[in-house]
Amino acid sequence: MSSSTVPAAGAAAAMLLVGTSTAVSATIADYPVLIGQALRYALAAAILLAVVRHRRLPRAGLTARDILLLLALAATGLAGFNIFLVEATRHASPATIGTVVGAIPIVLALVGPLTERRRPAVRTVVAAVVVTLGAAVAAGLGGGSLRGVLLSLGALAGEVAFSLLALPLLPRLGPMRVAAYPAALAVPMLLAASIALDGTSSLRLPTPTEAAAFGYLGVLVTATAFFLWYDALRRLGAARAGLFAGLVPVGALVTTVALGLGEAGLADVAGALLVGAGVLIGLRQPVPTGAAGRVGRPVRRSRSEDERRVRPSCELR
């Protein structure tokens, strides 16, 4: 089995799970969005922190730099992403938002290596373009105002920050803590934003059906998917892991069809095939050499959460 097979499977599973949030979110359309995101992040953080404690992972003292990065990650990659996305829906079509945010593979393919002082690999950039094109085709492109496009770009920036701000934290804290801490920090940020934008009337308890939906979003789409994504990001690097972001609309399509909420059209199938082709192109890239670019090899790090454990064999994030 290739050294990249397990993290690749994890990245694919993470993005497919995120894609399923589209269909599930339809059941909570009447619930205040930002309050709902705060609920799912609170549940996910509680689960992840409980796992950290249960597994008795080595203590990882936070430095001032760690705290600043975690706060920035929570503010941009979680709270900021959702706020921009919610506001964008008021000025642009879901297709436009999905197309803009769907450019994440290209951005990570270009910016990810630069953060490691490497040149972007041509094959990865080409693969990212194919994946992004597939995601755009599946989204159906669309129209919107300039303000809507700018807000969508803000959501894209939050998506990029979600991965790039985590990279310096992963070697020492490990994916479990990096998934848990920002989720917990984002809760009060989203509560404050909800009250500021929608007033105190947005504060209400969910119905049993809504609570079940938030349970799914918190357990699978947040706690599980975040951990899988950060584990893959640590092993594959931002550029290659970013290719799997194109699977989000595929997950949305599969869930929608499976639940009988819609049918797969020609554009949906064509987009999914393009995404799959792009991912395959990118994963066939030779492993880069150099300390910053080693993929699939153990990374030397100080007392991370993984050193003393046995390794197991338009969407709101």
Side-chain angles (χ1 to χ4, degrees):
M1 181 180 291
S2 168
S3 59
S4 63
T5 300
V6 173
M15 293 299 101
L16 289 172
L17 282 172
V18 171
T20 66
S21 66
T22 301
V24 176
S25 295
T27 66
I28 52 174
D30 296 330
Y31 195 83
V33 177
L34 297 180
I35 292 295
Q37 297 310 300
L39 288 177
R40 63 178 280 206
Y41 289 146
L43 175 60
I47 292 171
L48 290 166
L49 291 173
V51 173
V52 170
R53 182 174 182 180
H54 177 72
R55 298 175 70 173
R56 298 182 180 179
L57 299 177
R59 289 184 178 276
L62 298 177
T63 65
R65 178 173 177 269
D66 293 337
I67 294 173
L68 288 176
L69 283 172
L70 289 168
L71 285 170
L73 175 53
T76 58
L78 298 183
F81 171 83
N82 283 285
I83 292 170
F84 273 112
L85 198 60
V86 169
E87 289 299 302
T89 60
R90 300 174 181 175
H91 303 279
S93 68
T96 296
I97 299 170
T99 301
V100 173
V101 178
I104 183 67
I106 293 178
V107 178
L108 289 181
L110 293 171
V111 179
L114 295 179
T115 62
E116 300 173 344
R117 299 182 180 179
R118 294 187 290 110
R119 291 182 179 180
V122 175
R123 181 187 291 269
T124 304
V125 174
V126 171
V129 171
V130 174
V131 169
T132 302
L133 177 61
V137 170
L141 300 180
S145 66
L146 175 60
R147 185 175 183 180
V149 172
L150 292 176
L151 288 167
S152 300
L153 288 173
L156 173 61
E159 186 80 14
V160 173
F162 179 73
S163 294
L164 295 187
L165 289 177
L167 283 174
L169 293 165
L170 287 168
R172 203 168 67 82
L173 299 183
M176 191 74 69
R177 287 189 176 97
V178 175
Y181 294 165
L185 291 170
V187 173
M189 297 179 185
L190 286 166
L191 289 175
S194 180
I195 294 174
L197 294 173
D198 302 319
T200 55
S201 60
S202 63
L203 301 175
R204 72 169 177 85
L205 291 175
T207 65
T209 300
E210 291 169 339
F214 286 127
Y216 176 86
L217 292 173
V219 175
L220 291 178
V221 180
T222 309
T224 303
F226 280 21
F227 169 75
L228 290 174
W229 175 251
Y230 282 140
D231 188 52
L233 186 68
R234 179 192 56 168
R235 301 196 202 185
L236 295 176
R240 299 179 81 193
L243 298 174
F244 291 92
L247 292 175
V248 171
V250 178
L253 171 63
V254 171
T255 309
T256 299
V257 173
L259 295 179
L261 301 176
E263 298 180 354
L266 180 60
D268 298 317
V269 176
L273 291 175
L274 279 173
V275 168
V279 170
L280 290 176
I281 291 171
L283 290 182
R284 290 181 61 187
Q285 176 185 327
V287 177
T289 57
R294 294 192 182 100
V295 176
R297 299 179 185 179
V299 179
R300 189 176 299 276
R301 54 192 181 273
S302 60
R303 295 183 65 81
S304 82
E305 69 171 72
D306 302 291
E307 287 181 319
R308 297 183 183 177
R309 66 180 177 86
V310 178
R311 291 186 178 178
S313 33
C314 172
E315 298 79 10
L316 291 170
R317 184 182 55 244

